[in-house]
Amino acid sequence: MSITQILFWFLTVMAIGSALMVITSRNPVYSVLFLIATFFAISGHYILLNAQFLAIVNLIVYAGAIMVLFLFVIMLMNLNTETEPQKNKWLKFAGTIAGGCLLLVMVAALRDADTKTTTALMKEGDIGLVQNLGKTLFKEYVVPFEISSVLFLSAMVGAVVLGKKD
């Protein structure tokens, strides 16, 4: 086994294990922390696929900003086991049946997928590199990029004007 395969299997086990811990954890704060670990593992997969930009954006946007927002919301809600309503056993049974049906549909859909002939380019392709994204962005899409930057600047100025006290 090469180091790439070892890293792939380590990241896969880490992603699946932490995703299962998100679902099974009783404490919501621990669930958010396990979700951050899942995002780190997925970013590792992006790096293995030579998509550095996706990996960095995944870490900054999801593991950074959104998880901090989730933590603030969970801490502000002050979730206690005393205030949590008790679930009916029929509701749990219905949830189990619905989850089983979803699993059945997913297995049926993925069973016919053509995965034997498609392979991912590793260490060869340059599609996901930041350098190529920058070249494309500033050569072919420079006008829409500049229009969006002026739009963001006007939104920031508007937010400052609206937030300013008289």
Side-chain angles (χ1 to χ4, degrees):
M1 285 180 73
S2 67
I3 189 68
T4 307
Q5 289 176 332
I6 293 171
L7 277 173
F8 171 77
W9 287 112
F10 172 74
L11 290 171
T12 301
V13 168
M14 182 178 161
I16 292 173
S18 57
L20 287 174
M21 290 303 294
V22 167
I23 297 169
T24 60
S25 180
R26 296 261 183 207
N27 192 344
V29 176
Y30 291 154
S31 292
V32 170
L33 293 176
F34 283 123
L35 192 57
I36 291 172
T38 305
F39 285 143
F40 271 100
I42 291 172
S43 293
H45 280 105
Y46 286 147
I47 290 173
L48 286 177
L49 289 172
N50 206 16
Q52 294 93 357
F53 181 74
L54 281 177
I56 296 301
V57 166
N58 188 30
L59 286 179
I60 291 172
V61 173
Y62 288 111
I66 293 179
M67 288 301 111
V68 168
L69 180 69
F70 278 7
L71 276 174
F72 281 142
V73 168
I74 287 171
M75 289 179 182
L76 285 175
M77 285 176 53
N78 194 13
L79 299 173
N80 294 330
T81 56
E82 296 87 25
T83 61
E84 183 178 332
Q86 296 297 323
K87 306 266 188 318
N88 190 352
K89 66 177 181 177
W90 293 107
L91 187 62
K92 290 181 182 179
F93 181 70
T96 305
I97 296 296
C101 290
L102 177 66
L103 179 67
L104 185 67
V105 168
M106 292 294 287
V107 167
L110 292 176
R111 186 185 54 167
D112 295 331
D114 188 22
T115 59
K116 302 286 190 246
T117 59
T118 56
T119 57
L121 293 176
M122 296 177 66
K123 297 182 186 176
E124 297 170 4
D126 58 352
I127 293 174
L129 297 178
V130 178
Q131 178 182 7
N132 296 333
L133 179 69
K135 285 180 182 176
T136 304
L137 187 65
F138 290 115
K139 285 185 179 176
E140 296 175 25
Y141 298 104
V142 70
V143 174
F145 181 75
E146 290 300 324
I147 290 172
S148 66
S149 67
V150 170
L151 180 68
F152 285 138
L153 179 65
S154 64
M156 285 190 290
V157 169
V160 168
V161 168
L162 288 175
K164 185 177 176 184
K165 294 182 180 178
D166 291 329

